[in-house]
Amino acid sequence: MFTTRPTLQGTIGMVSSTHWLASQSAMAVLEDGGNAFDAAVAAGFVLHVVEPHLNGPGGEVPIILAPAGGEVRVLCGQGPAPAGATIAHYRSLGLELVPGTGPLAAAVPGAFDAWMLLLRDHGTKSLAQVLRYAVEYAEDGHPPVERVAETVESVRELFETEWTSSADVYLPSGKAPAPGELFRNPVLAATWRRLIAEAQAVGGGDRVAEIEAARTVWREGFIAEALLRQSARPTMDTSGSRHTGTLTAADLADWSAAYEAPATYEWNGWTLCKAGAWSQGPVFLQQLALLPSRVEELPAYGSAEYVHQLIEGCKLAMADREAWYGDAAEAPLAALLSEPYNTARRALIGERASYELRPGSPDGREPVLSAHATAVAAGEPGFDPLGLPAAGAGEPTVARDGATRGDTCHLDIVDRWGNMIAATPSGGWLQSNPVVPELGFPLGTRLQMAWLDPGLPNSLTPGRRPRTTLTPSLALREGVPVLAFGTPGGDQQDQWQFHFFLALALRARVRGGLDLQGAVDAPNWHNDSFPGSFFPRGMRPGSVTVEAGTAPEVVEGLRRRGHEVTVGEPWSEGRLCAVARDPETGVLSAAANPRGMQGYAVGR
């Protein structure tokens, strides 16, 4: 089968990420004797530097890790709402939605502490050893990808008139970062150099003590102090007004990243592992549960009937996400994944496209939606239905005021010992908040995903996590980890990943292993028939976007079934990454997406 690239295979280590410099930095760590977890931390910090429009240290990262011979765990790097982030406070400001930008949208930053916890508990390298790559690229420069310049230009007016600390970094001398030229962020490099120096002074050469000291610096030292000053600055946001944030010293000092058990589902000999319902990860599992009970009953792979069935199943799972997912109340996952529930839900999938938002009633509970989601689903006037771009590879769309639907990065790594990890760093985008002038990076905006209606699983609640779209994946066969994968793309993540996984599971193998690159390259699609997770949280009932290259008979077959089909640009749907390990032979594999022209897999 022809693919854009070969599926890489080797025995030493494999890395796939959304940027070639992150992939190669991780591989350098593996070559230097580090393990997959050391490599992931190094790559994560490089992604902060080279994809600043897609993630940053002030953002968040969910991680799924499988230590060789150990249990699969989720490491939650999603910070909660600050103590002062109450619905009453936001309503008192005249807001009906959390703004899409600015300090009011900032949760407690989670990415840094998660990376440090991973390095402390599962890594072997020192703080300085894993941060050196990010420091070098920030200090000495790197050639930026085109989308960095495009993003900066889209918010130029905002930067020059309001967010001037961001202009200092991203518009030096009035010029945006340009491909082929070196772009530097010396303030960020200085932040990490100071962090390392202070941690070494406290740790005295002890690896774990230095990491713990770095965590303290972030929570209580010069970094915390600068983050708090920034939160207190009145900042123009998507509401059209200037607001200050709610972040306090206690919020920063009291929170820590933490481990938890994954949500899982058994399907056709596979065990799929996802983060819990504080993410959208269980949507993937629900889509599996909605498939026919026998694989043989699935329509032919890639046919219009096959795509129709997957789209309609996704709509049902996403409707349940809207009604039941969040951290403010316990999600009924066992019921949502149970066979009786899904047998009943499966019967709702008809021959025609549904235009309704139809959450279910697990255990007989009545679903309750936010007023905004109900209005958007009903098509009432006053709501912009264009909650997401009609087509695109998941890159953020940015308005003049900084409004963005958001995007992210991804990385997957497997090493020679069988350690495996999938991580999806996001948030803290350059277009999310002004750059903290003393630090070189901004705060995040994840609170925009919480509702300002009380009593919902995803209501804005102090100390609780906003429901995130970030959703890395890890799969086992016969109890052994064999596959790690993921993609950027906001609400599309568990659509594109689901299609990738089925392409992998239902089609031929190559070279004795999984056809990773073939599954990555397969034509992809998404639908927006549910309220979007990003401001202004619209939806497009009945919509389906397929990328050019999809067979004309499939497009026509979907339209006959009532789908509103948009044919997007070629290679526009998804930015998937994947690594795999054959437990019988020890052969490692990797693939990366050609879409977006920057993801790359490396290994040997």
Side-chain angles (χ1 to χ4, degrees):
M1 179 183 297
F2 176 79
T3 58
T4 58
R5 307 166 181 176
T7 294
L8 304 184
Q9 291 188 313
T11 58
I12 302 302
M14 288 285 159
V15 181
S16 180
S17 87
T18 50
H19 196 289
W20 61 85
L21 291 179
S23 294
Q24 192 54 56
S25 298
M27 194 65 208
V29 173
L30 296 178
E31 295 279 12
D32 194 44
N35 65 22
F37 310 120
D38 296 311
V41 178
F45 279 89
V46 169
L47 288 171
H48 297 332
V49 178
V50 300
E51 291 192 316
H53 59 311
L54 306 179
N55 80 134
E60 44 277 327
V61 58
I63 298 168
I64 302 184
L65 62 149
E71 293 186 356
V72 176
R73 301 292 286 171
V74 171
L75 176 51
C76 176
Q78 174 59 63
T86 64
I87 291 174
H89 174 60
Y90 286 65
R91 291 290 191 183
S92 74
L93 299 173
L95 299 171
E96 294 184 0
L97 294 174
V98 177
T101 60
L104 272 181
V108 177
F112 180 85
D113 199 60
W115 290 127
M116 290 300 100
L117 209 61
L118 178 68
L119 183 65
R120 184 196 72 184
D121 296 342
H122 298 282
T124 64
K125 296 291 188 179
S126 70
L127 180 68
Q129 287 173 319
V130 296
L131 285 182
R132 58 168 287 204
Y133 307 93
V135 171
E136 289 171 0
Y137 285 127
E139 193 167 63
D140 300 331
H142 69 281
V145 295
E146 288 81 357
R147 292 292 288 181
V148 174
E150 292 169 9
T151 302
V152 172
E153 288 293 352
S154 69
V155 287
R156 173 185 284 273
E157 182 180 343
L158 178 71
F159 281 13
E160 291 178 335
T161 60
E162 294 282 349
W163 297 8
T164 55
S165 60
S166 297
D168 292 342
V169 174
Y170 291 104
L171 289 167
S173 304
K175 183 180 178 182
E181 300 179 5
L182 291 180
F183 172 69
R184 297 176 174 85
N185 189 341
V187 178
L188 178 60
T191 296
W192 296 144
R193 287 198 180 280
R194 181 177 174 184
L195 174 84
I196 292 167
E198 292 191 10
Q200 289 175 335
V202 173
D206 181 276
R207 193 185 76 90
V208 171
E210 288 180 2
I211 295 168
E212 284 300 305
R215 297 177 73 201
T216 299
V217 170
W218 178 276
R219 292 170 173 164
E220 302 174 22
F222 79 94
I223 293 178
E225 293 168 358
L227 293 175
L228 293 172
R229 284 192 293 272
Q230 184 61 47
S231 179
R233 293 185 177 107
T235 300
M236 178 64 71
D237 59 37
T238 53
S239 71
S241 299
R242 296 179 183 87
H243 293 113
T244 58
T246 61
L247 198 64
T248 68
D251 294 320
L252 289 170
D254 294 346
W255 183 81
S256 171
Y259 297 98
E260 57 190 54
T264 62
Y265 188 77
E266 305 284 337
W267 180 81
N268 198 35
W270 294 83
T271 303
L272 276 297
C273 301
K274 302 289 285 187
W278 53 269
S279 75
Q280 73 173 358
V283 162
F284 187 109
L285 308 182
Q286 284 196 252
Q287 289 178 95
L288 279 177
L290 285 163
L291 293 177
S293 55
R294 297 174 63 248
V295 175
E296 296 79 11
E297 297 174 3
L298 270 172
Y301 172 83
S303 65
E305 185 180 0
Y306 172 88
V307 177
H308 169 77
Q309 183 159 329
L310 267 56
I311 291 168
E312 295 304 299
C314 176
K315 292 175 185 177
L316 294 173
M318 285 296 194
D320 278 343
R321 182 193 75 164
E322 197 57 49
W324 301 110
Y325 290 21
D327 196 36
E330 185 177 353
L333 274 187
L336 290 171
L337 294 173
S338 68
E339 181 55 35
Y341 179 78
N342 284 285
T343 297
R345 295 285 278 168
R346 200 178 299 125
L348 297 176
I349 299 176
E351 293 298 317
R352 301 284 297 174
S354 169
Y355 280 56
E356 299 177 74
L357 188 67
R358 299 182 290 178
S361 300
D363 292 335
R365 309 183 201 186
E366 282 301 309
V368 179
L369 302 176
S370 73
H372 181 92
T374 301
V376 169
E380 293 182 7
F383 294 98
D384 176 8
L386 198 61
L388 286 164
E395 294 285 358
T397 53
V398 186
R400 288 176 59 196
D401 61 1
T404 176
R405 276 80 175 181
D407 202 17
T408 180
C409 310
H410 188 79
L411 64 89
D412 301 303
I413 304 175
V414 61
D415 64 27
R416 70 193 79 181
W417 302 285
N419 298 303
M420 187 175 288
I421 184 170
T424 310
S426 185
W429 311 305
L430 66 86
Q431 68 274 20
S432 65
N433 257 303
V435 166
V436 182
E438 306 94 326
L439 302 178
F441 63 85
L443 286 162
T445 54
R446 195 57 59 176
L447 292 188
Q448 68 179 287
M449 296 186 167
W451 293 113
L452 296 182
D453 301 56
L456 301 173
N458 192 33
S459 297
L460 180 66
T461 306
R464 297 290 184 171
R465 296 165 289 190
R467 190 201 72 215
T468 177
T469 54
L470 307 176
T471 172
S473 301
L474 199 141
L476 297 79
R477 293 284 283 181
E478 298 180 358
V480 179
V482 297
L483 176 68
F485 59 102
T487 180
D491 294 304
Q492 286 85 6
Q493 288 182 32
D494 277 313
Q495 300 186 61
W496 292 332
Q497 290 185 68
F498 186 59
H499 310 156
F500 159 81
F501 174 74
L502 289 184
L504 198 67
L506 298 176
R507 301 198 308 178
R509 295 159 65 89
V510 294
R511 297 180 190 155
L514 296 170
D515 184 15
L516 296 184
Q517 195 63 49
V520 165
D521 289 350
N524 219 322
W525 66 92
H526 79 271
N527 85 91
D528 300 320
S529 296
F530 48 86
S533 294
F534 295 91
F535 184 92
R537 310 202 70 166
M539 64 182 282
R540 296 191 301 130
S543 69
V544 176
T545 302
V546 302
E547 58 190 352
T550 302
E553 60 268 23
V554 172
V555 174
E556 182 56 32
L558 292 173
R559 286 174 174 157
R560 284 200 308 270
R561 288 169 171 82
H563 298 279
E564 296 285 343
V565 181
T566 299
V567 178
E569 296 296 319
W571 298 106
S572 60
E573 289 284 314
R575 287 176 62 203
L576 281 148
C577 302
V579 300
R581 179 178 183 272
D582 187 323
E584 294 183 3
T585 64
V587 171
L588 312 177
S589 304
N593 209 307
R595 300 165 177 89
M597 296 296 289
Q598 64 188 72
Y600 235 84
V602 296
R604 73 175 183 90

Short mmCIF file of all heavy atoms in Angstrom, two decimals, residues 211-243:
data_model
loop_
_atom_site.label_atom_id
_atom_site.label_comp_id
_atom_site.label_asym_id
_atom_site.label_seq_id
_atom_site.Cartn_x
_atom_site.Cartn_y
_atom_site.Cartn_z
N ILE A 211 14.43 18.33 41.33
CA ILE A 211 13.10 18.40 40.71
C ILE A 211 12.07 18.94 41.69
O ILE A 211 11.23 19.78 41.34
CB ILE A 211 12.70 17.00 40.19
CG1 ILE A 211 13.63 16.57 39.05
CG2 ILE A 211 11.24 17.00 39.72
CD1 ILE A 211 13.49 15.10 38.67
N GLU A 212 12.15 18.49 42.93
CA GLU A 212 11.22 19.01 43.95
C GLU A 212 11.43 20.50 44.18
O GLU A 212 10.47 21.26 44.37
CB GLU A 212 11.40 18.23 45.26
CG GLU A 212 10.77 16.85 45.23
CD GLU A 212 9.28 16.90 45.00
OE1 GLU A 212 8.56 17.60 45.74
OE2 GLU A 212 8.81 16.27 44.02
N ALA A 213 12.69 20.92 44.16
CA ALA A 213 12.97 22.35 44.32
C ALA A 213 12.40 23.15 43.16
O ALA A 213 11.87 24.25 43.35
CB ALA A 213 14.47 22.57 44.44
N ALA A 214 12.49 22.60 41.96
CA ALA A 214 11.93 23.29 40.80
C ALA A 214 10.41 23.41 40.92
O ALA A 214 9.83 24.45 40.57
CB ALA A 214 12.29 22.53 39.52
N ARG A 215 9.76 22.38 41.42
CA ARG A 215 8.31 22.45 41.62
C ARG A 215 7.96 23.55 42.62
O ARG A 215 6.96 24.27 42.45
CB ARG A 215 7.78 21.11 42.12
CG ARG A 215 7.96 19.96 41.12
CD ARG A 215 7.48 18.64 41.73
NE ARG A 215 6.02 18.58 41.81
CZ ARG A 215 5.35 17.78 42.62
NH1 ARG A 215 6.01 16.97 43.47
NH2 ARG A 215 4.03 17.76 42.61
N THR A 216 8.77 23.70 43.65
CA THR A 216 8.53 24.75 44.64
C THR A 216 8.73 26.13 44.04
O THR A 216 7.97 27.07 44.33
CB THR A 216 9.46 24.54 45.85
OG1 THR A 216 9.19 23.27 46.44
CG2 THR A 216 9.24 25.64 46.89
N VAL A 217 9.75 26.29 43.21
CA VAL A 217 9.98 27.57 42.55
C VAL A 217 8.77 27.94 41.70
O VAL A 217 8.33 29.10 41.69
CB VAL A 217 11.26 27.52 41.68
CG1 VAL A 217 11.36 28.76 40.80
CG2 VAL A 217 12.50 27.39 42.56
N TRP A 218 8.23 26.97 40.98
CA TRP A 218 7.06 27.24 40.15
C TRP A 218 5.86 27.65 41.01
O TRP A 218 5.16 28.60 40.69
CB TRP A 218 6.70 26.00 39.33
CG TRP A 218 5.48 26.19 38.48
CD1 TRP A 218 4.18 26.04 38.86
CD2 TRP A 218 5.44 26.62 37.12
NE1 TRP A 218 3.33 26.32 37.81
CE2 TRP A 218 4.08 26.68 36.73
CE3 TRP A 218 6.42 26.94 36.18
CZ2 TRP A 218 3.68 27.07 35.45
CZ3 TRP A 218 6.02 27.32 34.89
CH2 TRP A 218 4.67 27.38 34.55
N ARG A 219 5.64 26.97 42.10
CA ARG A 219 4.45 27.20 42.92
C ARG A 219 4.55 28.42 43.84
O ARG A 219 3.56 29.11 44.09
CB ARG A 219 4.18 25.99 43.82
CG ARG A 219 3.75 24.74 43.11
CD ARG A 219 3.78 23.62 44.12
NE ARG A 219 3.23 22.38 43.61
CZ ARG A 219 3.40 21.21 44.18
NH1 ARG A 219 4.11 21.12 45.30
NH2 ARG A 219 2.88 20.13 43.66
N GLU A 220 5.79 28.67 44.35
CA GLU A 220 5.92 29.67 45.41
C GLU A 220 7.04 30.69 45.17
O GLU A 220 7.12 31.68 45.89
CB GLU A 220 6.18 28.97 46.74
CG GLU A 220 5.10 27.97 47.12
CD GLU A 220 5.45 27.18 48.38
OE1 GLU A 220 6.28 27.66 49.17
OE2 GLU A 220 4.89 26.09 48.57
N GLY A 221 7.89 30.45 44.18
CA GLY A 221 9.04 31.31 43.97
C GLY A 221 8.80 32.39 42.92
O GLY A 221 7.69 32.90 42.75
N PHE A 222 9.88 32.75 42.20
CA PHE A 222 9.80 33.89 41.28
C PHE A 222 8.80 33.66 40.15
O PHE A 222 8.18 34.61 39.66
CB PHE A 222 11.19 34.21 40.73
CG PHE A 222 11.68 33.32 39.62
CD1 PHE A 222 11.48 33.66 38.28
CD2 PHE A 222 12.35 32.12 39.90
CE1 PHE A 222 11.94 32.85 37.26
CE2 PHE A 222 12.81 31.30 38.87
CZ PHE A 222 12.60 31.67 37.53
N ILE A 223 8.61 32.41 39.74
CA ILE A 223 7.63 32.14 38.69
C ILE A 223 6.21 32.40 39.19
O ILE A 223 5.40 33.05 38.53
CB ILE A 223 7.79 30.71 38.14
CG1 ILE A 223 9.13 30.58 37.40
CG2 ILE A 223 6.63 30.35 37.22
CD1 ILE A 223 9.41 29.20 36.85
N ALA A 224 5.90 31.87 40.37
CA ALA A 224 4.58 32.10 40.95
C ALA A 224 4.30 33.59 41.12
O ALA A 224 3.20 34.07 40.81
CB ALA A 224 4.47 31.38 42.29
N GLU A 225 5.27 34.32 41.60
CA GLU A 225 5.09 35.76 41.82
C GLU A 225 4.77 36.48 40.52
O GLU A 225 3.89 37.36 40.47
CB GLU A 225 6.34 36.34 42.47
CG GLU A 225 6.58 35.82 43.89
CD GLU A 225 7.97 36.16 44.41
OE1 GLU A 225 8.76 36.77 43.63
OE2 GLU A 225 8.28 35.82 45.57
N ALA A 226 5.45 36.11 39.44
CA ALA A 226 5.21 36.76 38.15
C ALA A 226 3.84 36.37 37.58
O ALA A 226 3.14 37.22 37.00
CB ALA A 226 6.32 36.39 37.17
N LEU A 227 3.45 35.11 37.74
CA LEU A 227 2.13 34.68 37.27
C LEU A 227 1.02 35.44 37.99
O LEU A 227 0.02 35.84 37.38
CB LEU A 227 1.96 33.17 37.49
CG LEU A 227 2.84 32.24 36.65
CD1 LEU A 227 2.62 30.80 37.07
CD2 LEU A 227 2.55 32.40 35.16
N LEU A 228 1.18 35.66 39.27
CA LEU A 228 0.16 36.37 40.04
C LEU A 228 0.08 37.84 39.64
O LEU A 228 -1.01 38.42 39.58
CB LEU A 228 0.45 36.23 41.53
CG LEU A 228 0.31 34.82 42.10
CD1 LEU A 228 0.80 34.75 43.54
CD2 LEU A 228 -1.13 34.34 42.00
N ARG A 229 1.23 38.45 39.39
CA ARG A 229 1.21 39.84 38.93
C ARG A 229 0.46 39.96 37.61
O ARG A 229 -0.31 40.89 37.39
CB ARG A 229 2.64 40.38 38.79
CG ARG A 229 3.32 40.73 40.11
CD ARG A 229 4.58 41.52 39.89
NE ARG A 229 5.62 40.75 39.22
CZ ARG A 229 6.52 39.98 39.85
NH1 ARG A 229 6.50 39.90 41.17
NH2 ARG A 229 7.43 39.32 39.17
N GLN A 230 0.70 38.98 36.72
CA GLN A 230 0.03 39.02 35.43
C GLN A 230 -1.47 38.83 35.57
O GLN A 230 -2.28 39.50 34.92
CB GLN A 230 0.59 37.94 34.50
CG GLN A 230 0.03 37.96 33.11
CD GLN A 230 0.33 39.27 32.39
OE1 GLN A 230 1.47 39.75 32.42
NE2 GLN A 230 -0.67 39.87 31.77
N SER A 231 -1.89 37.91 36.43
CA SER A 231 -3.32 37.66 36.63
C SER A 231 -4.04 38.90 37.14
O SER A 231 -5.22 39.10 36.85
CB SER A 231 -3.51 36.49 37.60
OG SER A 231 -4.88 36.25 37.84
N ALA A 232 -3.33 39.72 37.89
CA ALA A 232 -3.94 40.91 38.49
C ALA A 232 -3.97 42.11 37.55
O ALA A 232 -4.57 43.14 37.88
CB ALA A 232 -3.19 41.28 39.77
N ARG A 233 -3.36 41.99 36.36
CA ARG A 233 -3.35 43.11 35.42
C ARG A 233 -4.67 43.13 34.62
O ARG A 233 -5.04 42.11 34.02
CB ARG A 233 -2.17 43.00 34.45
CG ARG A 233 -0.82 43.18 35.12
CD ARG A 233 0.31 43.18 34.09
NE ARG A 233 1.60 43.42 34.74
CZ ARG A 233 2.55 42.50 34.93
NH1 ARG A 233 2.36 41.26 34.48
NH2 ARG A 233 3.66 42.80 35.53
N PRO A 234 -5.37 44.24 34.56
CA PRO A 234 -6.57 44.31 33.72
C PRO A 234 -6.20 44.02 32.26
O PRO A 234 -5.29 44.65 31.71
CB PRO A 234 -7.05 45.75 33.90
CG PRO A 234 -6.47 46.18 35.21
CD PRO A 234 -5.14 45.49 35.30
N THR A 235 -6.90 43.08 31.66
CA THR A 235 -6.53 42.58 30.34
C THR A 235 -7.74 42.52 29.43
O THR A 235 -8.78 41.98 29.80
CB THR A 235 -5.90 41.18 30.46
OG1 THR A 235 -4.74 41.24 31.29
CG2 THR A 235 -5.50 40.64 29.10
N MET A 236 -7.60 43.06 28.21
CA MET A 236 -8.66 42.97 27.21
C MET A 236 -8.87 41.51 26.82
O MET A 236 -7.91 40.79 26.55
CB MET A 236 -8.30 43.78 25.98
CG MET A 236 -9.32 43.72 24.86
SD MET A 236 -10.93 44.45 25.31
CE MET A 236 -10.46 46.20 25.38
N ASP A 237 -10.15 41.06 26.82
CA ASP A 237 -10.45 39.68 26.44
C ASP A 237 -11.58 39.65 25.42
O ASP A 237 -11.99 40.69 24.91
CB ASP A 237 -10.76 38.83 27.67
CG ASP A 237 -11.96 39.34 28.48
OD1 ASP A 237 -12.93 39.82 27.86
OD2 ASP A 237 -11.93 39.26 29.72
N THR A 238 -12.07 38.47 25.11
CA THR A 238 -13.08 38.32 24.06
C THR A 238 -14.42 38.95 24.42
O THR A 238 -15.28 39.10 23.55
CB THR A 238 -13.32 36.83 23.73
OG1 THR A 238 -13.61 36.13 24.94
CG2 THR A 238 -12.10 36.23 23.06
N SER A 239 -14.63 39.34 25.67
CA SER A 239 -15.86 40.02 26.03
C SER A 239 -15.87 41.47 25.54
O SER A 239 -16.91 42.13 25.55
CB SER A 239 -16.05 40.01 27.56
OG SER A 239 -15.10 40.87 28.18
N GLY A 240 -14.69 41.96 25.12
CA GLY A 240 -14.57 43.35 24.71
C GLY A 240 -14.25 44.28 25.85
O GLY A 240 -14.17 45.51 25.67
N SER A 241 -14.06 43.74 27.05
CA SER A 241 -13.72 44.53 28.23
C SER A 241 -12.42 44.03 28.83
O SER A 241 -11.93 42.95 28.50
CB SER A 241 -14.84 44.44 29.27
OG SER A 241 -16.06 44.93 28.77
N ARG A 242 -11.87 44.83 29.75
CA ARG A 242 -10.66 44.44 30.46
C ARG A 242 -11.04 43.83 31.80
O ARG A 242 -11.85 44.40 32.54
CB ARG A 242 -9.73 45.63 30.66
CG ARG A 242 -9.20 46.20 29.36
CD ARG A 242 -8.29 47.42 29.59
NE ARG A 242 -7.85 47.98 28.32
CZ ARG A 242 -8.53 48.90 27.63
NH1 ARG A 242 -9.68 49.35 28.12
NH2 ARG A 242 -8.08 49.35 26.49
N HIS A 243 -10.47 42.68 32.11
CA HIS A 243 -10.76 42.00 33.36
C HIS A 243 -9.46 41.54 34.00
O HIS A 243 -8.45 41.31 33.32
CB HIS A 243 -11.66 40.78 33.14
CG HIS A 243 -13.04 41.10 32.69
ND1 HIS A 243 -13.51 40.77 31.44
CD2 HIS A 243 -14.05 41.75 33.32
CE1 HIS A 243 -14.77 41.19 31.32
NE2 HIS A 243 -15.12 41.78 32.45
#
